[in-house]
Amino acid sequence: MIEIRRKTAVAVLAAGLVAVGAPPATAGQTLTWTPCNDRELVLDCTDVTVPVDWSRPRGATISLRVHRHRASGTSRGSLLLNPGGPGAPGKPFLEYAARRFSKPVIDGFDLVSFDPRGVGESAPLSCPPEADAAFRKSDPSPDSLRERIARENASRTWVRACRAKSGPIFDHVDTVSAARDLDVLRAVLGDDKLSYYGGSYGTRLGLRYADLFPTRIKRMVLDAVVDPAQDNKAFLTDVAKGEERGLDAYLSGCDDRPGCPFRGLTPAQSRTEVAGLFQAADRHPGEQLQLVNLTEEHLSDPSGAPDLDILFTAVRSGDHSAIEPDPDTDVAFNAIQCLDLPDHRTAAQIMRDTAALTRERPVFGPEVQSGTPCPQWPNGGVSDPHPVTAHGSVPIVLLAGTGDPAALYEWGQSAAAHLENGRLLTREGNGHGSYVYGACRPEVDRYLLDGVPPPRAGAVCDK
């Protein structure tokens, strides 16, 4: 959630691996599947070995946890899934997909999910409890240079403690490494070419795979597309833009919902009220962060407006029980983001950028930029963000919602335009994601099952 064109030594070495094929550490694996059922769903699981550091393919290894739901009918091979995050484990989304994806897709594919490196059961990153506790006390949305410097000091201490506890994997959870893992999964599952569905962050993973292995793709669906050509500043700036669009859409329907606490107010008055709730929670930084996160979560759900009504009504009345601080510092999310999205700004630069963003986006502007830990990450990030062309690939299908608050429609347009063979499906509406909520199903199923992509000029999805 995402460009500084810098080639690092790791990137150059890793790029060389494409030419030599699968490294010895991953070759010749035999998978042993064991049952890991979920109630009535019959699932099985296995582990796949990959290098810790793809620039040293014969070095230390980790195991990736992989989960599978076998095709109900004749299998066309594996459809690998990534639900986003970053930092989301694979099994919960597999359970969702095996119940909610279209029946022809469930019948025709082995649905396969996995915990990406550093996540879940795949060499998970971890932090000392005392380091987590100290970091949670820092203000996640500093209002002054002094508060920003304090946040940086806390971030730096926390990152060093987490890095020491997690070990070498901490520096290698970037998405380029995960894309190389994805190709290992493809190979050991016995698929000559990759079929893949990725949502949100999973689109960044898919695009990085397409960048590395464009001719190894059979089908690729990227839902709620994230721009692969952004550094951390650009990404966070767009996040504020998207969330305020989503907030405006939520507020525009207030007079039609009896439970909305902003009924009868103008849009400007309503935005001021929401900004005031965020600012009032600043007295308790953990609560402020939780309030902002919950607001973003409900805005991302196409049916989330009633829940957001309840949340704002409670907080407005002084009931903060719904926004008690989250004890999870989510180190995997931060590590992946910060390795992927370079950020080398000083504290003063970040506060200047926050002030400029706040003038443009007064509700979310003060919240999303100022507290980022990414400049304190080792080397300020290791990735080389850039547009992806995927020269020589089959058609790649991208889904983008015009009112998606967490993945801007412009991101999908840009990614599709840069791809040599990108096919954009537009969903007109709010909410984060399309296929998972039932939109675009005929078009996506026709592509996955029959290889018929949308037209090059793009199309609007069926609701």
Side-chain angles (χ1 to χ4, degrees):
M1 289 180 124
I2 305 204
E3 214 120 355
I4 298 172
R5 300 303 302 275
R6 292 188 308 116
K7 278 286 182 184
T8 65
V10 170
V12 172
L13 287 168
L17 294 175
V18 180
V20 300
T26 64
Q29 298 186 59
T30 300
L31 301 184
T32 301
W33 295 92
T34 58
C36 54
N37 297 341
D38 175 72
R39 299 189 298 277
E40 76 279 8
L41 280 181
V42 177
L43 307 177
D44 49 12
C45 301
T46 192
D47 294 297
V48 172
T49 301
V50 295
V52 170
D53 180 354
W54 272 100
S55 72
R56 295 178 175 83
R58 295 175 177 82
T61 62
I62 57 170
S63 293
L64 302 181
R65 191 63 170 166
V66 181
H67 317 83
R68 179 177 63 179
H69 178 269
R70 300 296 295 270
S72 305
T74 302
S75 177
R76 301 165 181 260
S78 302
L79 177 63
L80 277 90
L81 311 172
N82 183 282
K91 189 177 181 184
F93 187 71
L94 174 63
E95 295 162 358
Y96 176 91
R99 292 183 172 97
R100 301 291 297 276
F101 272 25
S102 298
K103 188 176 185 300
V105 172
I106 297 170
D107 288 345
F109 286 98
D110 294 336
L111 302 179
V112 179
S113 70
F114 57 99
D115 293 348
R117 53 176 51 223
V119 174
E121 298 180 71
S122 297
L125 303 189
S126 59
C127 302
E130 62 276 13
D132 275 345
F135 181 60
R136 284 196 300 271
K137 292 178 181 178
S138 66
D139 189 339
S141 57
D143 301 310
S144 66
L145 181 58
R146 178 183 60 81
E147 289 184 356
R148 173 62 204 177
I149 291 171
R151 175 69 169 179
E152 292 196 352
N153 291 335
S155 299
R156 191 177 301 110
T157 300
W158 176 65
V159 170
R160 288 174 178 172
C162 299
R163 189 186 195 197
K165 191 169 191 298
S166 299
I169 187 62
F170 191 86
D171 293 338
H172 301 288
V173 295
D174 59 283
T175 299
V176 171
S177 295
R180 295 188 180 282
D181 296 345
L182 186 59
D183 197 55
V184 173
L185 295 178
R186 172 202 60 76
V188 299
L189 289 167
D191 296 313
D192 290 337
K193 295 193 174 184
L194 176 75
S195 293
Y196 176 79
Y197 169 91
S200 193
Y201 162 79
T203 69
R204 190 196 299 164
L205 176 57
L207 286 165
R208 290 295 172 230
Y209 184 93
D211 200 29
L212 292 170
F213 310 110
T215 60
R216 298 183 194 177
I217 299 169
K218 181 178 182 181
R219 308 277 193 270
M220 181 170 283
V221 177
L222 306 177
D223 190 352
V225 181
V226 174
D227 189 348
Q230 289 187 312
D231 63 10
N232 194 42
K233 175 188 172 181
F235 172 77
L236 294 174
T237 299
D238 273 355
V239 166
K241 179 179 181 180
E243 297 298 351
E244 295 221 355
R245 282 182 182 173
L247 181 65
D248 287 346
Y250 158 77
L251 294 173
S252 71
C254 261
D255 287 344
D256 299 325
R257 295 191 309 275
C260 182
F262 308 113
R263 294 183 77 200
L265 300 181
T266 67
Q269 290 170 330
S270 298
R271 284 193 294 272
T272 299
E273 286 271 339
V274 175
L277 294 178
F278 288 172
Q279 291 161 10
D282 190 50
R283 292 189 294 270
H284 307 280
E287 289 188 358
Q288 183 190 44
L289 179 62
Q290 185 70 345
L291 177 57
V292 173
N293 287 344
L294 286 172
T295 301
E296 292 173 345
E297 180 182 317
H298 293 318
L299 290 176
S300 292
D301 183 345
S303 60
D307 291 330
L308 197 49
D309 290 342
I310 293 170
L311 175 66
F312 283 147
T313 298
V315 175
R316 218 167 168 234
S317 69
D319 178 5
H320 285 202
S321 60
I323 56 172
E324 293 177 359
D326 189 341
D328 184 7
T329 54
D330 208 348
V331 63
F333 169 87
N334 282 289
I336 296 167
Q337 288 287 83
C338 293
L339 289 173
D340 281 0
L341 309 182
D343 197 334
H344 304 280
R345 292 176 292 169
T346 66
Q349 287 173 321
I350 286 176
M351 295 314 296
R352 285 196 296 271
D353 293 338
T354 299
L357 184 58
T358 298
R359 288 191 292 272
E360 186 177 356
R361 310 290 172 189
V363 181
F364 285 93
E367 313 301 333
V368 302
Q369 183 100 244
S370 63
T372 176
C374 291
Q376 280 63 57
W377 228 258
N379 303 313
V382 300
S383 292
D384 172 31
H386 57 274
V388 173
T389 59
H391 176 67
S393 79
V394 298
I396 295 172
V397 174
L398 304 91
L399 282 62
T402 56
D404 191 325
L408 272 67
Y409 182 64
E410 294 92 327
W411 289 353
Q413 288 179 305
S414 176
H418 282 102
L419 284 168
E420 182 180 89
N421 210 346
R423 308 295 177 91
L424 181 65
L425 276 173
T426 296
R427 175 183 59 82
E428 294 179 343
N430 303 320
H432 186 43
S434 298
Y435 188 83
V436 289
Y437 292 113
C440 313
R441 294 248 166 137
E443 297 90 344
V444 171
D445 290 353
R446 189 159 50 245
Y447 168 72
L448 285 175
L449 297 166
D450 301 323
V452 180
R456 282 187 179 273
V460 177
C461 293
D462 290 341
K463 295 291 191 295

